[in-house]
Amino acid sequence: MVIKSFKITITGQVQGVGFRPFVYVLANTFDLKGWVSNNEQGVIIVVSGIPSKIHSFYEGLIQNPPKLSKIKTHHITEIPLINVEDFCIVPSRKSGKLNLSLTPDFAICDDCKKEIIDVTNRRYHYPFTTCVNCGPRWAITKTFPFERNHTAMDRFDMCDPCEKEYTDPNHRRFHSQTNSCGTCGIHMNLTDSKGTVLQTDTSEIVTTTAALIKEGHIVAIKNTGGYLLCCDAGNRNAVHRLRQRKNRPRKPFAILYPSLQMLRGQLQISSEQEKALTSPESPIVIVPKDNYSGTLVLDELIPNLNQLGIMLPYTGLLQLLAEKLGIPIVATSGNIHNSPIISASEAALNALDKVADYFLNHDLSITNPQDDSVIKFSRKYQHDVLFRRSRGYAPNYFGSFKANENILAMGAHLKSAVAFLPNDYLYISQYLGNLDHADVYERLTTTVSKFITLFEEKPSVILVDAHPTYHSTLYGKELARDLELPSVAIQHHKAHFASVLGEHHLFESEIPVMGVIWDGTGYGDDGHIWGGEFFEYAMGKIERVSHFEYFDWLAGDKMSKEPRLSLFSLATDPLLPEVLPKFTDEELTVYQTIKKQNRLKTSSVGRLFDAVAALLGSCDLNTYEGEAAIILENQIHEYSIENCTSYVSIQENGLIPSKDLLKHIHTDVINGVRQETIIVNFLYTLADLILRMADRRNISCIALSGGVFQNTVLIDLLKELAKTDYKLYFNRNLSPNDENIAFGQIMYYLNIRTAT
């Protein structure tokens, strides 16, 4: 019998997902000899045996890999014969710079859920129970390859029973780098708001915490991604106190349901929503509150909205707490208004001592704090829109992007995220936040430094937004100067367009693609504020071909916070009776003077949404970003597209008449048309204009991005109108909002830079 040796290389998301244990067991099944190891590129396997068995082994690896893995490339090559006596897992060998997919966090698996509520199991009530199929990864990573000594778990030495599991090929904790138990693992304590320790017994702390929440207290709980502020979602006083203390007057709170069974009994959820809720990413899923039958204080939790942000327990700690509580609770990011999520115990106590009554802490360091990700599905077509890309998704982006230089992209300003292309992989950070806040800016700079250190690669070029005063732009240019590198400014909306072109590999398209990029704000090539743009991509070039008619941009950033200002800007004389009562006489004098002297214009569709909301009396002042637009969408319950009418058409000059659109909406208001009908017709108008513009340019492929396309009713209307006559492309692995700008900057730089 001929014996030969082969080397197998597998890249992708293959570290921290149980790949080596899987290889070990499968190799022994085929009676093969050799070894498997992680290195800086992925998984390396050297195997000796009968060639037919080796190829069957290889086929099994590729066709049925571990469920959390995502294979990017795989190669098998014959090598000189190696004589070994068995098959083993060898420690990771790093001989070069990292060139592999990083591993995101995974929600607790069903097996671990069963163990922590099984009184006969040695992990009974241990909140940090994990295995190769679940648990934190990116949150606790210090460097790669993914080994225990490269994570925050390195300070916890495994006890003998855990070590036995770790070395047992038949155990699901075989080579589980996060393995621990109540004897050797992570410790908790419960303190009051002054930091006085009240309890240290892990078995009692969860019970006490549940009791405190049921009594109406607010508890800051250190989870594996950072702190969550929790209270009883059915206790009006508790939720109201949390709103006041956190300075969050109307922004909706996320709700943690204790079980899928209870959720199903109180809310109607689709199969797509349920699949997302129970996925390894386990995001917050936004669901309609139709026919809600529970005891949540909805008016306090979701003021003026008809949808709830729901999640299920995704860590052992949350699972145990849910078991003790048996009720839905608020589980919102542990931070002060607009600051990043807090992950260190001392920082939490200093920042949240006036918000939380009690603190549940633990001694596992969180090296990469992350908010919960958020996703929403449209009602009619169940089209999924990623609202926030963070825990469970970051820091990977799957796709092949080759470059001859290391590219660092600094992203935008309001919904900051950075991207780095230092090798064969593209890495996109978790959602960071609004850079107006010093803590978020610090997290941005820390994330950039961490990427550069982790990959041991200095960027060759730094990409920034064309807006000259964005903090991301200023920092990117400063970093470029310090490192003596070139920096390249890329227009905001072209980066949005490039993000969709990149996600769908449309740069190779042989036919033109129309880009529809609608959002709140972005610095335009002509010095005005863009936000209602139509582009055309063809032959390696992006050209702006149309936009919404300009109107006055007033009072700087204040305009995005006060929808009444957008209404004031767009209002013609017939609308003045609706506009003037929204301002004091003194305010009117100031704003009328500003409007007369104003030279800065905008085409923003985001501000158009604000104006409509103010006109309808839905929202004059935003207390959180996008509030007016969200309220408009939430006023829609049912509609029939056959009954929809469009308010305006494209003008002869190719522009969209912004003021006429608002004027015709006002006519419906005067005529007593139902608000829901007006809003549906407004969204129908936007969808209809997109397709009319495509017809005007004789284009059937349409790429859509920008924060406006978080409106799922607009997406459903577009899909229904487009039928099969047009191909619609949306961001699919990224949010349509400014979180995709860093990715789009890299895509633009790689594919379009010669065009400008």
Side-chain angles (χ1 to χ4, degrees):
M1 194 74 68
V2 177
I3 302 296
K4 292 187 176 182
S5 295
F6 291 82
K7 179 180 180 181
I8 299 170
T9 303
I10 302 176
T11 70
Q13 184 173 290
V14 292
Q15 294 191 16
V17 295
F19 213 101
R20 288 180 300 169
F22 174 79
V23 170
Y24 177 94
V25 172
L26 191 62
N28 279 287
T29 300
F30 283 97
D31 194 29
L32 303 177
K33 314 300 180 186
W35 52 266
V36 58
S37 177
N38 286 339
N39 72 358
E40 67 278 358
Q41 295 188 335
V43 171
I44 306 299
I45 306 164
V46 172
V47 61
S48 294
I50 300 170
S52 61
K53 287 189 175 184
I54 291 175
H55 286 287
S56 295
F57 160 75
Y58 178 59
E59 185 177 335
L61 283 178
I62 305 309
Q63 292 187 356
N64 299 290
K67 63 180 181 180
L68 295 178
S69 64
K70 294 180 181 179
I71 294 175
K72 180 181 180 183
T73 66
H74 52 89
H75 305 283
I76 182 169
T77 307
E78 186 175 353
I79 59 175
L81 184 64
I82 295 176
N83 291 311
V84 287
E85 295 182 357
D86 56 12
F87 195 92
C88 64
I89 296 175
V90 301
S92 295
R93 301 171 178 176
K94 183 175 181 292
S95 58
K97 295 177 181 179
L98 292 184
N99 186 19
L100 53 79
S101 175
L102 305 185
T103 312
D105 294 2
F106 302 118
I108 185 171
C109 68
D110 289 339
D111 289 328
C112 286
K113 283 182 184 178
K114 292 174 184 175
E115 287 182 341
I116 62 177
I117 60 172
D118 179 0
V119 70
T120 66
N121 192 282
R122 72 184 192 89
R123 286 190 174 80
Y124 177 63
H125 278 188
Y126 178 57
F128 304 96
T129 297
T130 63
C131 67
V132 295
N133 298 318
C134 67
R137 299 293 193 269
W138 176 237
I140 60 171
T141 292
K142 293 188 288 187
T143 186
F144 271 76
F146 192 79
E147 295 283 1
R148 193 181 185 93
N149 64 321
H150 291 161
T151 74
M153 288 297 298
D154 64 342
R155 61 183 291 262
F156 301 98
D157 294 328
M158 283 184 283
C159 62
D160 289 343
C162 283
E163 185 73 35
K164 184 177 180 181
E165 293 169 342
Y166 184 83
T167 56
D168 180 359
N170 297 313
H171 203 284
R172 77 175 194 283
R173 294 192 173 90
F174 183 42
H175 274 259
S176 171
Q177 306 306 326
T178 57
N179 193 26
S180 66
C181 70
T183 301
C184 64
I186 301 156
H187 299 95
M188 299 194 301
N189 67 62
L190 181 68
T191 76
D192 62 18
S193 60
K194 296 179 181 178
T196 304
V197 177
L198 306 176
Q199 279 185 347
T200 58
D201 188 328
T202 296
S203 62
E204 295 178 359
I205 286 175
V206 174
T207 301
T208 303
T209 300
L212 290 170
I213 290 173
K214 283 188 172 181
E215 289 169 9
H217 295 291
I218 299 167
V219 183
I221 298 175
K222 186 179 181 182
N223 203 28
T224 54
Y227 276 85
L228 295 173
L229 287 165
C230 301
C231 69
D232 180 356
N235 185 320
R236 182 175 302 279
N237 290 334
V239 178
H240 185 69
R241 283 201 318 277
L242 180 55
R243 283 208 175 279
Q244 289 183 316
R245 293 179 183 182
K246 204 181 177 190
N247 187 26
R248 189 167 168 169
R250 293 197 295 268
K251 189 175 182 180
F253 283 133
I255 310 301
L256 176 72
Y257 260 77
S259 67
L260 182 60
Q261 182 180 6
M262 178 180 285
L263 176 59
R264 285 172 176 160
Q266 296 185 2
L267 277 169
Q268 295 178 348
I269 57 173
S270 67
S271 58
E272 289 83 0
Q273 290 165 342
E274 182 172 321
K275 184 178 179 181
L277 284 163
T278 56
S279 68
E281 294 81 14
S282 192
I284 295 170
V285 179
I286 299 174
V287 301
K289 69 176 179 65
D290 302 349
N291 302 315
Y292 174 71
S293 60
T295 58
L296 298 178
V297 286
L298 296 180
D299 57 330
E300 279 286 353
L301 295 167
I302 51 169
N304 303 318
L305 301 183
N306 69 358
Q307 60 188 24
L308 283 160
I310 301 295
M311 60 179 164
L312 295 174
Y314 56 85
T315 64
L317 176 56
L318 294 180
Q319 184 68 40
L320 287 174
L321 186 63
E323 294 285 341
K324 291 291 183 182
L325 282 164
I327 58 172
I329 62 171
V330 171
T332 188
S333 296
N335 59 5
I336 297 298
H337 186 62
N338 286 327
S339 294
I341 188 170
I342 298 170
S343 61
S345 302
E346 185 176 350
L349 189 62
N350 289 335
L352 302 175
D353 62 323
K354 298 296 190 297
V355 180
D357 302 311
Y358 296 92
F359 289 78
L360 192 164
N361 311 297
H362 60 72
D363 58 355
L364 174 65
S365 297
I366 299 171
T367 54
N368 296 297
Q370 301 166 90
D371 287 281
D372 294 311
S373 296
V374 182
I375 193 170
K376 184 180 180 181
F377 295 85
S378 67
R379 280 181 182 256
K380 184 159 189 175
Y381 291 99
Q382 293 294 300
H383 177 92
D384 57 308
V385 181
L386 196 57
F387 276 49
R388 184 166 68 200
R389 180 187 174 278
S390 199
R391 176 189 54 78
Y393 298 91
N396 289 328
Y397 182 86
F398 290 96
S400 298
F401 306 104
K402 293 286 186 179
N404 296 321
E405 51 190 333
N406 302 328
I407 308 170
L408 175 65
M410 302 305 299
H413 184 87
L414 287 178
K415 294 189 177 295
S416 175
V418 299
F420 195 27
L421 183 58
N423 49 45
D424 294 337
Y425 296 84
L426 192 151
Y427 308 91
I428 306 176
S429 75
Q430 62 272 31
Y431 161 83
L432 299 173
N434 184 341
L435 294 177
D436 280 332
H437 302 276
D439 291 344
V440 180
Y441 180 79
E442 182 181 357
R443 189 153 292 178
L444 169 78
T445 61
T446 301
T447 302
V448 169
S449 297
K450 183 167 290 185
F451 273 179
I452 293 173
T453 301
L454 185 64
F455 297 106
E456 303 175 77
E457 288 283 4
K458 188 175 80 169
S460 308
V461 62
I462 296 177
L463 311 181
V464 298
D465 193 281
H467 196 298
T469 64
Y470 274 4
H471 291 316
S472 57
T473 299
L474 295 172
Y475 173 64
K477 289 183 175 180
E478 178 186 347
L479 183 62
R481 286 194 299 270
D482 291 344
L483 298 177
E484 298 182 341
L485 302 173
S487 64
V488 177
I490 294 171
Q491 200 279 324
H492 186 90
H493 299 91
K494 293 176 184 176
H496 266 308
F497 186 18
S499 75
V500 186
L501 293 173
E503 284 215 76
H504 293 274
H505 305 288
L506 294 174
F507 287 111
E508 296 81 21
S509 175
E510 296 181 357
I511 60 175
V513 181
M514 187 175 79
V516 183
I517 313 301
W518 293 350
D519 62 3
T521 179
Y523 187 76
D525 289 341
D526 58 2
H528 292 302
I529 305 299
W530 291 2
E533 313 312 306
F534 294 88
F535 296 97
E536 184 173 323
Y537 169 77
M539 305 295 291
K541 293 185 179 181
I542 287 178
E543 178 187 3
R544 186 191 191 210
V545 295
S546 186
H547 58 86
F548 274 70
E549 203 171 47
Y550 281 138
F551 53 97
D552 289 299
W553 181 267
L554 303 175
D557 290 341
K558 194 174 184 181
M559 191 170 182
S560 65
K561 298 173 183 177
E562 299 190 15
R564 62 179 187 155
L565 282 176
S566 294
L567 177 60
F568 180 84
S569 173
L570 281 157
T572 52
D573 288 345
L575 275 74
L576 292 181
E578 309 289 343
V579 178
L580 300 183
K582 297 178 182 293
F583 299 88
T584 65
D585 290 342
E586 183 179 1
E587 286 176 328
L588 281 172
T589 300
V590 171
Y591 290 131
Q592 284 169 346
T593 301
I594 291 174
K595 191 172 182 179
K596 287 178 183 177
Q597 299 173 348
N598 181 64
R599 295 293 179 270
L600 186 61
K601 305 294 183 179
T602 183
S603 57
S604 171
V605 175
R607 299 291 76 83
L608 186 58
F609 270 83
D610 284 352
V612 173
L615 176 61
L616 297 179
S618 299
C619 184
D620 285 337
L621 304 172
N622 284 331
T623 64
Y624 59 91
E625 188 188 354
E627 180 177 5
I630 293 170
I631 289 174
L632 285 182
E633 182 181 1
N634 272 255
Q635 289 179 252
I636 300 171
H637 296 88
E638 291 182 337
Y639 67 86
S640 172
I641 201 165
E642 290 79 12
N643 298 325
C644 292
T645 58
S646 182
Y647 285 117
V648 293
S649 299
I650 301 170
Q651 298 178 146
E652 288 186 12
N653 62 4
L655 302 183
I656 309 298
S658 308
K659 291 184 178 181
D660 283 354
L661 200 164
L662 198 66
K663 183 174 66 177
H664 292 144
I665 290 175
H666 179 244
T667 299
D668 272 2
V669 172
I670 296 300
N671 291 335
V673 177
R674 291 174 62 242
Q675 281 202 5
E676 183 176 357
T677 302
I678 292 173
I679 298 167
V680 170
N681 284 337
F682 169 55
L683 295 177
Y684 174 87
T685 299
L686 298 179
D688 181 60
L689 286 168
I690 290 171
L691 302 184
R692 287 179 184 271
M693 188 66 76
D695 290 344
R696 185 184 180 98
R697 303 203 61 83
N698 195 29
I699 293 176
S700 60
C701 292
I702 308 170
L704 309 105
S705 187
V708 167
F709 292 102
Q710 291 183 160
N711 189 303
T712 53
V713 176
L714 176 58
I715 291 174
D716 275 347
L717 283 166
L718 262 170
K719 284 177 169 273
E720 192 167 358
L721 283 173
K723 299 184 174 64
T724 58
D725 299 330
Y726 307 86
K727 291 183 178 179
L728 304 179
Y729 298 94
F730 300 90
N731 291 110
R732 52 185 178 185
N733 297 311
L734 300 168
S735 171
N737 65 38
D738 282 4
E739 289 178 49
N740 72 45
I741 290 293
F743 174 80
Q745 288 168 344
I746 292 179
M747 293 300 99
Y748 186 96
Y749 181 79
L750 289 176
N751 296 279
I752 310 290
R753 54 178 166 158
T754 57
T756 54

